[in-house]
PDB file of all heavy atoms in Angstrom:
ATOM      1  N   MET X  53     -21.068  17.348   0.104  1.00  0.00           N
ATOM      2  CA  MET X  53     -20.692  15.962  -0.160  1.00  0.00           C
ATOM      3  C   MET X  53     -19.729  15.373   0.945  1.00  0.00           C
ATOM      4  O   MET X  53     -19.811  14.429   1.464  1.00  0.00           O
ATOM      5  CB  MET X  53     -19.929  15.756  -1.505  1.00  0.00           C
ATOM      6  CG  MET X  53     -20.930  15.651  -2.613  1.00  0.00           C
ATOM      7  SD  MET X  53     -19.971  15.708  -4.243  1.00  0.00           S
ATOM      8  CE  MET X  53     -19.298  14.009  -4.287  1.00  0.00           C
ATOM      9  N   ASN X  55     -19.220  16.681   3.972  1.00  0.00           N
ATOM     10  CA  ASN X  55     -19.766  16.618   5.224  1.00  0.00           C
ATOM     11  C   ASN X  55     -20.788  15.422   5.492  1.00  0.00           C
ATOM     12  O   ASN X  55     -20.822  14.814   6.491  1.00  0.00           O
ATOM     13  CB  ASN X  55     -20.567  17.919   5.663  1.00  0.00           C
ATOM     14  CG  ASN X  55     -19.512  19.021   5.826  1.00  0.00           C
ATOM     15  OD1 ASN X  55     -18.302  18.854   6.036  1.00  0.00           O
ATOM     16  ND2 ASN X  55     -19.934  20.281   5.665  1.00  0.00           N
ATOM     17  N   PRO X 111     -26.787  -7.123 -11.157  1.00  0.00           N
ATOM     18  CA  PRO X 111     -27.561  -7.944 -11.959  1.00  0.00           C
ATOM     19  C   PRO X 111     -28.202  -9.095 -11.171  1.00  0.00           C
ATOM     20  O   PRO X 111     -29.122  -9.743 -11.644  1.00  0.00           O
ATOM     21  CB  PRO X 111     -26.534  -8.593 -12.985  1.00  0.00           C
ATOM     22  CG  PRO X 111     -25.263  -7.910 -12.791  1.00  0.00           C
ATOM     23  CD  PRO X 111     -25.292  -7.197 -11.464  1.00  0.00           C
ATOM     24  N   GLY X 123      -5.758  -4.009  -4.341  1.00  0.00           N
ATOM     25  CA  GLY X 123      -5.065  -3.698  -5.521  1.00  0.00           C
ATOM     26  C   GLY X 123      -4.609  -2.333  -5.494  1.00  0.00           C
ATOM     27  O   GLY X 123      -4.812  -1.604  -4.593  1.00  0.00           O
ATOM     28  N   VAL X 140     -20.412   5.896 -16.853  1.00  0.00           N
ATOM     29  CA  VAL X 140     -21.784   5.702 -17.355  1.00  0.00           C
ATOM     30  C   VAL X 140     -21.857   5.426 -18.870  1.00  0.00           C
ATOM     31  O   VAL X 140     -20.808   5.652 -19.509  1.00  0.00           O
ATOM     32  CB  VAL X 140     -22.700   6.924 -17.067  1.00  0.00           C
ATOM     33  CG1 VAL X 140     -22.999   7.125 -15.528  1.00  0.00           C
ATOM     34  CG2 VAL X 140     -22.148   8.111 -17.646  1.00  0.00           C
ATOM     35  N   HIS X 171      -6.524 -12.101 -16.412  1.00  0.00           N
ATOM     36  CA  HIS X 171      -5.009 -12.214 -16.057  1.00  0.00           C
ATOM     37  C   HIS X 171      -4.166 -11.886 -17.294  1.00  0.00           C
ATOM     38  O   HIS X 171      -3.017 -11.369 -17.080  1.00  0.00           O
ATOM     39  CB  HIS X 171      -4.694 -13.646 -15.516  1.00  0.00           C
ATOM     40  CG  HIS X 171      -4.976 -14.800 -16.378  1.00  0.00           C
ATOM     41  ND1 HIS X 171      -6.336 -15.106 -16.764  1.00  0.00           N
ATOM     42  CD2 HIS X 171      -4.173 -15.494 -17.171  1.00  0.00           C
ATOM     43  CE1 HIS X 171      -6.279 -16.202 -17.608  1.00  0.00           C
ATOM     44  NE2 HIS X 171      -4.983 -16.371 -17.846  1.00  0.00           N
ATOM     45  N   ARG X 227     -18.465  -9.129  -5.163  1.00  0.00           N
ATOM     46  CA  ARG X 227     -19.898  -9.244  -4.781  1.00  0.00           C
ATOM     47  C   ARG X 227     -20.843  -8.610  -6.017  1.00  0.00           C
ATOM     48  O   ARG X 227     -20.433  -7.671  -6.600  1.00  0.00           O
ATOM     49  CB  ARG X 227     -20.138  -8.447  -3.545  1.00  0.00           C
ATOM     50  CG  ARG X 227     -19.477  -9.123  -2.404  1.00  0.00           C
ATOM     51  CD  ARG X 227     -19.919  -8.575  -1.026  1.00  0.00           C
ATOM     52  NE  ARG X 227     -20.406  -7.203  -1.009  1.00  0.00           N
ATOM     53  CZ  ARG X 227     -21.545  -6.781  -0.297  1.00  0.00           C
ATOM     54  NH1 ARG X 227     -22.204  -7.639   0.368  1.00  0.00           N
ATOM     55  NH2 ARG X 227     -21.845  -5.569  -0.351  1.00  0.00           N
ATOM     56  N   CYS X 281      26.339   4.537   4.393  1.00  0.00           N
ATOM     57  CA  CYS X 281      26.260   4.662   2.844  1.00  0.00           C
ATOM     58  C   CYS X 281      26.796   3.380   2.170  1.00  0.00           C
ATOM     59  O   CYS X 281      26.311   3.064   1.060  1.00  0.00           O
ATOM     60  CB  CYS X 281      27.091   5.863   2.442  1.00  0.00           C
ATOM     61  SG  CYS X 281      26.310   7.356   2.961  1.00  0.00           S
ATOM     62  N   ASN X 288      22.621  -1.307  -4.032  1.00  0.00           N
ATOM     63  CA  ASN X 288      22.487  -0.548  -5.268  1.00  0.00           C
ATOM     64  C   ASN X 288      21.474   0.672  -5.089  1.00  0.00           C
ATOM     65  O   ASN X 288      20.784   1.048  -6.071  1.00  0.00           O
ATOM     66  CB  ASN X 288      22.024  -1.283  -6.375  1.00  0.00           C
ATOM     67  CG  ASN X 288      23.101  -2.246  -6.853  1.00  0.00           C
ATOM     68  OD1 ASN X 288      24.320  -1.968  -6.716  1.00  0.00           O
ATOM     69  ND2 ASN X 288      22.727  -3.427  -7.357  1.00  0.00           N
ATOM     70  N   ILE X 294      14.739  -2.359   0.443  1.00  0.00           N
ATOM     71  CA  ILE X 294      14.771  -1.508   1.579  1.00  0.00           C
ATOM     72  C   ILE X 294      14.887  -2.250   2.917  1.00  0.00           C
ATOM     73  O   ILE X 294      15.533  -1.940   3.780  1.00  0.00           O
ATOM     74  CB  ILE X 294      13.618  -0.529   1.498  1.00  0.00           C
ATOM     75  CG1 ILE X 294      13.619   0.486   2.645  1.00  0.00           C
ATOM     76  CG2 ILE X 294      12.260  -1.227   1.532  1.00  0.00           C
ATOM     77  CD1 ILE X 294      14.897   1.314   2.551  1.00  0.00           C
ATOM     78  N   LEU X 392       9.031 -18.175  22.757  1.00  0.00           N
ATOM     79  CA  LEU X 392      10.307 -18.320  22.167  1.00  0.00           C
ATOM     80  C   LEU X 392      10.578 -19.630  21.568  1.00  0.00           C
ATOM     81  O   LEU X 392      11.552 -20.019  20.928  1.00  0.00           O
ATOM     82  CB  LEU X 392      11.362 -17.898  23.200  1.00  0.00           C
ATOM     83  CG  LEU X 392      11.578 -16.538  23.487  1.00  0.00           C
ATOM     84  CD1 LEU X 392      12.476 -16.304  24.661  1.00  0.00           C
ATOM     85  CD2 LEU X 392      12.181 -15.716  22.311  1.00  0.00           C
ATOM     86  N   ASP X 415      18.272 -16.760  40.771  1.00  0.00           N
ATOM     87  CA  ASP X 415      19.411 -16.806  39.875  1.00  0.00           C
ATOM     88  C   ASP X 415      19.597 -15.506  38.947  1.00  0.00           C
ATOM     89  O   ASP X 415      20.675 -15.417  38.374  1.00  0.00           O
ATOM     90  CB  ASP X 415      19.286 -18.022  38.864  1.00  0.00           C
ATOM     91  CG  ASP X 415      19.396 -19.366  39.661  1.00  0.00           C
ATOM     92  OD1 ASP X 415      19.853 -19.312  40.787  1.00  0.00           O
ATOM     93  OD2 ASP X 415      18.879 -20.299  39.194  1.00  0.00           O
TER      94      ASP X 415
END
Side-chain angles (χ1 to χ4, degrees):
M53 275 174 78
N55 292 339
V140 291
H171 60 286
R227 294 193 331 141
C281 290
N288 292 329
I294 187 61
L392 285 167
D415 294 338

